[in-house]
Amino acid sequence: MDNNEKLTNAFSESLGIERHLVTDKLTYNTIPQWDSTAHMVLIAELENVFDVMLDTDDIIDLSSVAQAKIILQKYDISI
């Protein structure tokens, strides 16, 4: 499984949404499933899947799938 698939799975499982909904255009609070509680579940899943510890600024800035890809690059994870 490549990193893009891992990211898609993390979003899908954490937010309880279908994989086809996980696109770069998906942003925080644009769907009911991605609220503040689900955001923290998503952060935990991303940290677990990619074996990283996101800093506070990155957690706050992670506002979309596209932004998640940018943030993960800071941790040497290419997607």
Side-chain angles (χ1 to χ4, degrees):
M1 180 180 315
D2 68 17
N3 285 339
N4 192 53
E5 289 176 281
K6 289 179 183 178
L7 182 71
T8 300
N9 284 342
F11 269 87
S12 175
E13 292 175 18
S14 297
L15 303 180
I17 60 174
E18 297 291 325
R19 291 175 44 83
H20 73 273
L21 296 174
V22 181
T23 67
D24 284 351
K25 295 180 181 181
L26 179 62
T27 59
Y28 176 72
N29 260 343
T30 57
I31 59 172
Q33 297 90 330
W34 194 354
D35 59 12
S36 60
T37 303
H39 187 74
M40 295 314 297
V41 172
L42 173 62
I43 295 299
E45 183 67 12
L46 291 173
E47 289 181 334
N48 183 49
V49 167
F50 293 105
D51 194 27
V52 296
M53 180 67 110
L54 300 176
D55 67 33
T56 303
D57 289 340
D58 291 333
I59 292 169
I60 293 167
D61 290 344
L62 201 152
S63 58
S64 67
V65 173
Q67 188 65 26
K69 292 176 181 180
I70 293 167
I71 289 169
L72 288 170
Q73 286 178 346
K74 292 170 43 178
Y75 298 87
D76 295 324
I77 299 165
S78 59
I79 298 178

